Amino acid sequence: MAVYALTGFSLVSLLSFGYLSWDWMKPSLVADVAMDSMEKPLPPAFSRPPHIIFILTDDQGYHDVGYHGSDIQTPTLDRLAAEGVKLENYYIQPICTPSRSQLITGRYQIHTGLQHSIIRPRQPNCLPLDQITLPQKLQEAGYSTHMVGKWHLGFYKKECLPTRRGFDTFLGSLTGNVDYYTYDNCDGPGVCGYDLHEGEDVAWDQSGKYSTFLYAQRVSKILASHSPNEPIFIYVAFQAVHTPLQSPKEYIYRYRSMGNVARRKYAAMVTCMDEAVKNITWALKKYGYYDNSVIVFSTDNGGQTFSGGSNWPLRGRKGTYWEGGVRGIGFVHSPLIKRKRRISWALVHITDWYPTLVSLAGGNLSNVPGLDGYNVWPAISEGKESPRTEILHNIDPLYNHAKYGSLEDGFGIWNTAVQASIRVGEWKLLTGDPGYSDWIPPQTLTNFPGSWWNLERLTDGLRKSVWLFNITADPYERYDLSDQRPDVVRTLLMRLVHYNRTAIPVRYPAENPRAHPDFNGGAWGPWASEDDTEEWEGIGEPLKSRNKKKKCKICKLRSFFRKLNTRLMSNRI
């Protein structure tokens, strides 16, 4: 009875939020063809290479844009999306580093060794240096390339920095989250440092400026100083709306009627970001770029529901493989689109931007074989069928294994205790522990989260390690069909086996004390020498350095600072 009652409530809720007006039951636009047998379409021809502006927001929930029925004001995003093409079958990754790495390389994270968690500030890890990046390919095609915002792809060596990976200029942070005004980031108690960089230098002089404003201003400055006759690529990776929840007071005031404080601050940050996008769009028009430009907007993962975000009516949140963690907000706005003002249900993944944008630029993809992405521009611009038929959401062998999973449950071909997820056509399979699985309505109540929605959590079987959903018919993942369709389960498990055979070892080294900002003038930045060599001991195990003498010197230096700090504290007392 509880399940039926809650399902009824959800139906009423969907009606009230306007979701049933969406054509969720539309038949799949992807053919049931194996990926391996498909050829990618040839690049489209343009009279001249278009200017490309790629805007990525951080932790913005699926529900948190006006045209998805949100109570948050996003007039700029709504207008740009309405005049372009809304991507309503668009997928990203559930956390920061994986989405960014797949955007920059066009490859699934199992093919870069970044399939587990994120790159942490003290890890000797970064986007593999043998990968040819998206900005490098655009540089080859004659583009000026610029990055503004959050990197989060590693920085332990200078070779890992954005300016060494294809960007002519960089202004932003290297770590995963910083204070919006002071740019301080703490990676644990007492491990704090400043993180705002201009090129390869620390941008101490920019402290105190709200990052959303700072980044939009930098984009305008870049456009003002560049010629619209020369192609330009700008990757704008806003820090917004990741925690900490900080916004100028005038934006918070607009949402003073919201009872939930976190939601109020979060909403203010989203609206502030929307205005930053407005200023960027205005600059494109002012300086003569707009008519030959392509603006891509994407979120990086699902919203964090306990920090004000909402993925309603989808299931789950950031960090999970439920739709609320991996279905993104995405749209393309461009005068160059042939069929504008429409919704596209073509299957698109964040890896697709690499070949799509390089093809738009007239670049050469012949020296980057084995990409996991597809050129989806014909699907976006002309409404053609997407060349993509499936998405590997991920296979993470290091994530906590599900207690009730086994090889037996996986027909003897797959250990269902392993966290993995894949979509093939209309079907989506999850194994292991997919993460927090509730359906969480927008946090508009003063005391949210309340107790009523917790009842819905109790209807979900906790002793499971396999789930199967028809995502086209059931986008909210309410009806698990794994018991009814074991044939489909087996087929998708075989696809996981196929992908797993192509995976490279996980790169997730132990943290290194040399990374402490105290050894770098108080700022986060590269700490390893270019001559340092590394040796991998196996999947997920720490890396060992052959540079024993340097390590010893660092240890002595740390001891010296500790003794000095103790003496200073004694003098204060």
Side-chain angles (χ1 to χ4, degrees), residues 143-454:
Y143 276 68
S144 173
T145 60
H146 306 268
M147 179 178 174
V148 180
K150 172 179 168 178
W151 176 238
H152 207 187
L153 289 175
F155 58 88
Y156 81 105
K157 284 185 176 184
K158 285 190 175 181
E159 293 99 319
C160 302
L161 297 176
T163 48
R164 306 287 180 102
R165 305 311 305 272
F167 290 104
D168 296 326
T169 69
F170 169 67
L171 173 69
S173 60
L174 299 174
T175 61
N177 66 294
V178 299
D179 186 282
Y180 281 75
Y181 292 96
T182 68
Y183 299 97
D184 291 329
N185 176 29
C186 293
D187 186 41
V191 189
C192 302
Y194 184 81
D195 183 17
L196 184 65
H197 295 75
E198 174 89 57
E200 298 182 8
D201 299 321
V202 182
W204 298 104
D205 60 319
Q206 302 293 345
S207 179
K209 300 176 182 178
Y210 188 67
S211 73
T212 304
F213 292 155
L214 177 66
Y215 294 156
Q217 290 166 1
R218 173 52 58 95
V219 173
S220 296
K221 184 177 180 180
I222 291 170
L223 293 172
S225 61
H226 186 78
S227 170
N229 296 320
E230 300 295 330
I232 191 170
F233 169 60
I234 306 179
Y235 171 36
V236 189
F238 282 113
Q239 174 187 352
V241 289
H242 197 291
T243 54
L245 299 179
Q246 297 172 304
S247 172
K249 292 182 179 179
E250 59 268 29
Y251 292 91
I252 297 176
Y253 185 75
R254 299 185 191 184
Y255 297 99
R256 60 192 180 278
S257 61
M258 278 190 179
N260 184 282
V261 175
R263 180 71 173 171
R264 187 189 312 158
K265 293 180 179 179
Y266 174 92
M269 295 165 70
V270 173
T271 297
C272 184
M273 176 273 296
D274 181 85
E275 291 195 8
V277 174
K278 177 182 178 181
N279 292 338
I280 291 172
T281 308
W282 179 83
L284 287 170
K285 294 179 178 180
K286 177 182 179 181
Y287 298 115
Y289 296 87
Y290 178 78
D291 290 340
N292 188 41
S293 68
V294 174
I295 301 172
V296 180
F297 181 90
S298 171
T299 49
D300 71 335
N301 47 245
Q304 180 54 272
T305 54
F306 296 131
S307 298
S310 175
N311 305 303
W312 181 258
L314 303 179
R315 184 177 188 175
R317 57 178 167 120
K318 172 184 177 178
T320 76
Y321 288 95
W322 304 107
E323 292 291 283
V326 297
R327 190 183 283 247
I329 300 172
F331 65 78
V332 180
H333 177 96
S334 172
L336 305 176
I337 293 174
K338 293 182 178 179
R339 291 183 57 197
K340 305 180 182 67
R341 298 179 180 275
R342 65 185 181 87
I343 294 175
S344 170
W345 296 94
L347 189 63
V348 178
H349 184 249
I350 195 167
T351 53
D352 297 330
W353 297 120
Y354 186 114
T356 299
L357 299 182
V358 172
S359 297
L360 281 176
N364 181 11
L365 291 168
S366 63
N367 65 336
V368 282
L371 291 178
D372 294 307
Y374 291 87
N375 178 5
V376 292
W377 183 252
I380 293 171
S381 177
E382 303 172 45
K384 294 184 177 181
E385 187 173 280
S386 172
R388 176 176 289 282
T389 62
E390 65 186 56
I391 296 171
L392 175 69
H393 293 303
N394 195 26
I395 300 170
D396 186 348
L398 298 190
Y399 194 81
N400 296 333
H401 282 200
K403 184 177 180 180
Y404 297 99
S406 68
L407 189 61
E408 181 181 0
D409 289 342
F411 298 96
I413 59 175
W414 183 263
N415 183 358
T416 63
V418 174
Q419 185 190 64
S421 182
I422 188 171
R423 174 169 170 177
V424 179
E426 298 178 341
W427 296 102
K428 177 181 176 182
L429 180 78
L430 303 98
T431 70
D433 179 3
Y436 193 86
S437 64
D438 281 351
W439 295 268
I440 305 176
Q443 299 90 315
T444 56
L445 303 178
T446 303
N447 297 318
F448 185 88
S451 58
W452 60 269
W453 58 265
N454 283 321

Side-chain angles (χ1 to χ4, degrees), residues 464-482:
K464 288 182 61 64
S465 62
V466 178
W467 294 262
L468 177 70
F469 301 97
N470 184 319
I471 290 299
T472 303
D474 178 25
Y476 314 134
E477 298 172 298
R478 292 184 175 272
Y479 306 105
D480 176 16
L481 302 176
S482 58

Side-chain angles (χ1 to χ4, degrees), residues 119-136:
I119 296 178
R120 303 191 181 279
R122 288 178 282 174
Q123 283 183 314
N125 195 11
C126 72
L127 189 72
L129 299 176
D130 61 350
Q131 292 292 323
I132 301 174
T133 68
L134 171 60
Q136 286 172 334

